[in-house]
Amino acid sequence: MDYPERFSNLPPYAFPRLRALLDDHAPGGEVVHMTIGEPKHTFPEWVTRVIVENAAGFNNYPPNEGTPELRGAIADWMGRRYGVPVDPETQVMTLNGTREGLYNAAMALCPETKNGQKPVVLIPNPFYQVYMIAAISVGAEPVFLPATAATGHLPDFSALSEEVLNRTAIAYVCSPANPQGAVASREYWADLIALAEKYDFRIFADECYSEIYRDTPPPGALTVARDMGADPERVTLFNSLSKRSNLPGLRAGFVAGGPGSVARMKTLRAYSGAPIPGPLQAAAAAVWADEAHVVENRALYQAKYLVADEVFAGVQGYMPPEAGFFLWLPVDDGEDAAKKLWQDTGLRVLPGAYLAREVDGFNPGKGFIRVAMVAPEDQLREALWRLRDCLYG
Ligand SMILES: Cc1ncc(COP(=O)(O)O)c(C=O)c1O
């Protein structure tokens, strides 16, 4: 039996790789998991009640594109948060989390050719792994753009050649960025949108960390596109309740963008999508409508930023995250550091190289570890001191 060639050279996913690196070794202290971006704060207690009250909905096939109530709640939130009016009928579709949508958007929207050639999908490096698999799945060429200290931890699109830009169909951008915690400014978005207008490519804005920030809400790509009068189909925005509301298990996300793009995504989803169960859609609508729990959740992360700043004060190369909940810490070699931390202290962190791709002999994640600040504050403080003592003396 043959297998598709295009998936035959995939590196193992980050977490099995981590297990292979660490699991033959005993932890050297109390285990603290700081590898996965799974929020650990509580979600609002009334979410359970809403699900139970709507349990009769398990009797029905749920609407694939989202109930009118859920799409309405999302559109209202978009208006409040980003100041962009979006029509819930034509510009919003629900997703099983952003990951599903980031994949299927490429399926629905990436053309077979661009200017008569194989299309390019631009991907920041390091990156959230679904961008790469989406590009490969649609037969596009993934082009990885280093997002390092030298480029402000976001990709430098201005460095691209005319040849690549002419073939570019889609650019994935993550802001706030996982893993670096960098935020795309209005100017950054504006420059990218202008470039996309010039070379006619789409921007997929992964904004799933948008509500976890220090003091200023990160600007949204759709807002900037609207203010510039860009093509309404230029930017497609993805967000979810996973990080905002500590509900990664609800699998409740959405995509918002131009009516043409959303219509294409809806068509694809009608054939192949798995809708969010009705009672969960009801809960998601209530959660998008509530902001009080988001403010509380953000305050918990804001306290953690201060803990990290205190612990890593004076550490060469420490980058205080602007947003999100990861620390992207410089080390000599991420795998060595992760192994040492595990064996000496019991802390489990991810080598940065597992989140990045080697290009021309350079893996921009190699000299980093990613540390998820998801543990409660006291446990986090203790763990970060252990980390500092172990790796930075
Ligand atoms: C950058 C980034 N994008 C997307 C996702 C997917 O999140 P979800 O599908 O839960 O919305 C994650 C999850 O960790 C992420 O880190």
Side-chain angles (χ1 to χ4, degrees):
M1 201 82 101
D2 290 337
Y3 293 103
E5 188 56 35
R6 62 190 185 284
F7 299 127
S8 57
N9 289 318
L10 291 182
Y13 203 63
F15 296 104
R17 244 173 124 183
L18 184 72
R19 287 195 287 275
L21 181 75
L22 301 184
D23 284 2
D24 286 344
H25 306 275
E30 192 200 336
V31 173
V32 181
H33 289 274
M34 307 176 98
T35 49
I36 190 162
E38 185 174 70
K40 291 275 183 273
H41 302 157
T42 53
F43 57 79
E45 42 77 28
W46 44 260
V47 169
T48 315
R49 202 172 59 237
V50 180
I51 295 171
V52 171
E53 282 167 7
N54 288 275
F58 284 125
N59 222 193
N60 309 109
Y61 277 113
N64 228 323
E65 59 197 47
T67 60
E69 292 73 26
L70 176 51
R71 280 184 282 111
I74 292 167
D76 289 347
W77 181 79
M78 287 287 295
R80 288 197 306 277
R81 169 63 174 86
Y82 291 118
V84 230
V86 287
D87 177 0
E89 268 307 300
T90 60
Q91 292 186 271
V92 176
M93 184 180 77
T94 60
L95 304 168
N96 300 100
T98 52
R99 172 152 58 166
E100 180 260 302
L102 289 161
Y103 184 81
N104 280 314
M107 288 284 169
L109 302 177
C110 187
E112 283 80 7
T113 57
K114 175 75 190 286
N115 289 327
Q117 292 174 283
K118 185 176 172 121
V120 158
V121 171
L122 302 176
I123 297 174
N125 196 17
F127 59 100
Y128 186 57
Q129 303 292 293
V130 76
Y131 311 155
M132 178 187 73
I133 206 70
I136 295 173
S137 297
V138 299
E141 179 185 334
V143 169
F144 298 95
L145 307 182
T148 61
T151 64
H153 294 285
L154 293 168
D156 177 10
F157 293 96
S158 71
L160 285 167
S161 71
E162 191 84 10
E163 192 272 326
V164 168
L165 285 165
N166 279 327
R167 287 200 292 134
T168 297
I170 292 166
Y172 281 97
V173 179
C174 185
S175 172
N178 168 9
Q180 309 95 323
V183 169
S185 64
R186 280 189 69 88
E187 297 67 38
Y188 183 92
W189 281 125
D191 287 348
L192 174 59
I193 292 164
L195 195 71
E197 292 268 285
K198 181 169 176 201
Y199 290 94
D200 194 22
F201 61 84
R202 292 174 180 277
I203 298 165
F204 286 176
D206 179 356
E207 301 193 14
C208 69
Y209 291 94
S210 66
E211 303 316 289
I212 300 173
Y213 52 81
R214 284 199 188 234
D215 35 43
T216 314
L222 269 182
T223 319
V224 181
R226 190 271 321 262
D227 292 352
M228 291 169 68
D231 183 332
E233 306 297 334
R234 189 62 60 204
V235 170
T236 310
L237 179 148
F238 301 83
N239 212 325
S240 79
L241 296 177
S242 301
K243 324 289 178 186
R244 171 187 182 267
S245 304
N246 301 310
L247 286 163
L250 196 64
R251 306 311 302 133
F254 72 86
V255 55
S261 311
V262 172
R264 291 297 185 112
M265 292 188 72
K266 279 185 184 172
T267 302
L268 191 72
R269 199 166 219 278
Y271 283 97
S272 62
I276 309 172
L280 307 191
Q281 296 202 35
V287 179
W288 283 114
D290 183 71
E291 220 43 54
H293 75 279
V294 184
V295 174
E296 277 173 34
N297 186 38
R298 185 159 51 241
L300 296 176
Y301 285 115
Q302 287 167 338
K304 292 179 185 185
Y305 296 141
L306 300 183
V307 169
D309 292 349
E310 172 199 321
V311 172
F312 295 104
V315 167
Q316 180 86 34
Y318 166 66
M319 187 181 40
E322 288 176 73
F325 50 59
F326 295 110
L327 299 175
W328 187 236
L329 296 175
V331 290
D332 285 340
D333 177 275
E335 276 192 330
D336 291 348
K339 214 160 148 183
K340 181 171 164 58
L341 270 177
W342 177 246
Q343 288 182 290
D344 292 1
T345 72
L347 301 182
R348 211 168 161 96
V349 304
L350 201 62
Y354 295 5
L355 300 166
R357 209 53 202 273
E358 182 174 313
V359 179
D360 298 334
F362 172 64
N363 182 322
K366 190 171 161 55
F368 291 88
I369 50 171
R370 191 188 75 173
V371 179
M373 296 196 289
V374 289
E377 187 182 329
D378 285 350
Q379 192 187 24
L380 178 78
R381 178 180 283 103
E382 186 277 328
L384 292 184
W385 275 117
R386 263 199 273 167
L387 189 154
R388 181 182 169 139
D389 290 345
C390 176
L391 295 183
Y392 303 108

